[in-house]
Amino acid sequence: MEMPIFSFRLQSKPTFGNETDKLALLAFKKHLVDVPNGILSSWNDSLQFCEWEGVTCSRIFNEERVTILRLEGQSLGGSLPPIIGNLTFLNELVLSNNNLQGSIPSDIGLLQRMQHLNLTSNSIQGEILVEITNCSNLMIVDLTRNNLTGQIPFQVGDMSKLIVIRLGGNGLTGVIPFTLGNLSRLQRLSMASNQLEEGIRHDLSRLMSLTHLYLGVNSLSETLSNISGLELLDLGPNYLAGQVPDNLGVLKDLQWLNLQNNNLGRGMSGDLNFLNSLTNISSFRLLSFSVNNFGGVFPNCIVNLSTHMQELYFEDNKIFGSIPEEIGNLINLTTFDVAVGKIRFSFPKINKCYYLYE
């Protein structure tokens, strides 16, 4: 009698979590200062670490690994420890709107799978370390409103997947790296409210995907760049001088242009010729060139700006003349500021214009 043959397949049982990740989270907790009964009170052995508040895990290689750590707006104090680099499967690290201090550890460069880094609105100090550029999969970097100093690493231009860079509201110095021109996917770039110097790099004109550019409140000078896809361009206050290019009309998607608090213009006729090209932009909503050195007659072409225009700011220049009655064609205008100057005011009715400053 032939005996039956039985075959058995032993299936590996997935582990519920990785000890390395758990130990890294516990070490991270020791560097943080939580409020009583705060978010970190769940970080204990009564729960598996993937169930701790702010922690998200995914199954990778038959193990649960930490892929997202979100602790934004929790009033957490303390600092970001080097052990964070042990969370090697982390895709997203969001610690914004807390009270973190100290510096960004160099070990953050070990997080090579990370796509989103947000440390906005803390009190983090020190420099933006070159090691952060090892995170080659980063798509969003937001370090806005901290106390960062030093220069922006030129190696940031090697981070080819970047879509958003926000570094505003710090104390960064030096120049805008020319290597930013390599970031072909970049859509939003903010470096406003720092201490950056020298000119606005022509290399930025290579950023064909860029739609929002914030460079105001720096010490920039020299020239403006033409970046054809821009929707928002903020260049004030700075130390920009000379004439505004008369080809800004090529920015067909522009909705918001701020040139205020610079030294643009010569106080002469012809300073405002650039406005003619802006009449070709159909989606324009805000235009400000207040507190500059523009001179000449109040331009009649202003009445041909987009009917979507909502806010116009001209105050504190050397413009003279009369405001044309046809300004009423701007049917969506709500704010019109012409303030001090030799302008004769005879305002026609502007349907929705609530604020007319004199």
Side-chain angles (χ1 to χ4, degrees):
M1 180 177 178
E2 188 173 342
M3 297 292 293
I5 299 174
F6 297 93
S7 67
F8 299 91
R9 174 180 290 180
L10 296 176
Q11 302 220 354
S12 59
K13 184 179 179 181
T15 57
F16 198 56
N18 183 278
E19 192 69 14
T20 300
D21 288 359
K22 178 181 179 180
L23 293 175
L25 290 174
L26 290 173
F28 181 38
K29 179 183 178 180
K30 290 181 179 179
H31 284 79
L32 299 178
V33 179
D34 197 7
V35 297
N37 300 313
I39 193 170
L40 299 183
S41 60
S42 71
W43 288 30
N44 58 63
D45 288 334
S46 67
L47 293 173
Q48 201 275 340
F49 71 84
C50 289
E51 298 174 352
W52 293 349
E53 286 193 64
V55 177
T56 300
C57 294
S58 300
R59 180 165 295 180
I60 300 171
F61 302 134
N62 221 32
E63 286 187 313
E64 294 291 324
R65 303 300 301 262
V66 176
T67 53
I68 298 175
L69 184 57
R70 297 192 66 110
L71 300 172
E72 67 269 37
Q74 300 297 325
S75 301
L76 296 172
S79 61
L80 191 61
I83 196 68
I84 197 72
N86 284 8
L87 298 174
T88 53
F89 285 87
L90 201 61
N91 292 327
E92 191 172 334
L93 178 59
V94 180
L95 303 173
S96 54
N97 296 295
N98 283 293
N99 301 311
L100 298 178
Q101 300 181 347
S103 59
I104 300 173
S106 60
D107 298 67
I108 205 165
L110 299 175
L111 304 179
Q112 297 187 14
R113 294 177 174 86
M114 187 162 57
Q115 299 177 3
H116 181 189
L117 174 64
N118 188 342
L119 304 178
T120 301
S121 298
N122 282 284
S123 299
I124 296 173
Q125 305 166 355
E127 299 185 354
I128 301 175
L129 301 178
V130 69
E131 284 83 359
I132 201 171
T133 64
N134 293 331
C135 303
S136 57
N137 284 298
L138 269 174
M139 301 171 68
I140 299 173
V141 175
D142 196 340
L143 305 178
T144 310
R145 292 188 296 277
N146 278 286
N147 298 319
L148 296 170
T149 56
Q151 300 190 15
I152 301 168
F154 278 77
Q155 292 87 341
V156 71
D158 297 329
M159 303 172 73
S160 60
K161 295 183 180 181
L162 279 172
I163 296 174
V164 175
I165 302 176
R166 294 191 177 106
L167 304 176
N170 283 286
L172 299 172
T173 56
V175 301
I176 297 173
F178 70 90
T179 54
L180 289 176
N182 298 334
L183 302 178
S184 60
R185 299 184 184 183
L186 196 64
Q187 298 175 14
R188 296 188 176 221
L189 174 60
S190 175
M191 297 182 175
S193 300
N194 280 288
Q195 300 170 32
L196 300 174
E197 300 176 329
E198 296 190 14
I200 300 171
R201 307 291 310 201
H202 285 291
D203 307 87
L204 297 185
S205 63
R206 293 158 46 200
L207 300 176
M208 304 306 293
S209 299
L210 195 67
T211 60
H212 291 63
L213 178 60
Y214 301 85
L215 296 176
V217 198
N218 278 289
S219 301
L220 299 171
S221 59
E222 296 180 15
T223 186
L224 304 173
S225 296
N226 292 330
I227 306 170
S228 59
L230 278 180
E231 298 175 7
L232 186 150
L233 179 58
D234 184 356
L235 298 175
N238 274 295
Y239 293 106
L240 299 175
Q243 296 292 91
V244 177
D246 58 8
N247 62 345
L248 287 181
V250 302
L251 305 178
K252 297 295 186 183
D253 298 320
L254 196 63
Q255 299 179 27
W256 206 93
L257 176 62
N258 179 21
L259 303 176
Q260 70 181 22
N261 289 85
N262 281 287
N263 193 31
L264 295 166
R266 303 166 298 175
M268 299 170 57
S269 177
D271 282 349
L272 298 175
N273 287 347
F274 71 93
L275 292 175
N276 285 300
S277 68
L278 298 182
T279 61
N280 297 322
I281 302 175
S282 62
S283 54
F284 228 161
R285 285 174 168 76
L286 181 147
L287 171 62
S288 175
F289 52 85
S290 306
V291 196
N292 275 284
N293 193 35
F294 292 116
V297 178
F298 190 90
N300 286 329
C301 68
I302 205 76
V303 304
N304 296 321
L305 290 172
S306 169
T307 55
H308 294 289
M309 184 64 69
Q310 297 172 1
E311 300 177 54
L312 285 172
Y313 300 91
F314 287 35
E315 76 275 15
D316 289 341
N317 281 287
K318 299 177 181 178
I319 305 168
F320 59 91
S322 301
I323 297 174
E325 292 183 5
E326 292 83 359
I327 195 74
N329 295 343
L330 304 181
I331 57 175
N332 288 298
L333 196 64
T334 60
T335 305
F336 185 26
D337 190 346
V338 287
V340 180
K342 299 179 179 179
I343 295 180
R344 294 189 294 275
F345 298 95
S346 179
F347 293 115
K349 181 179 179 181
I350 304 176
N351 292 335
K352 300 179 182 179
C353 197
Y354 305 123
Y355 307 100
L356 295 172
Y357 300 101
E358 300 187 18

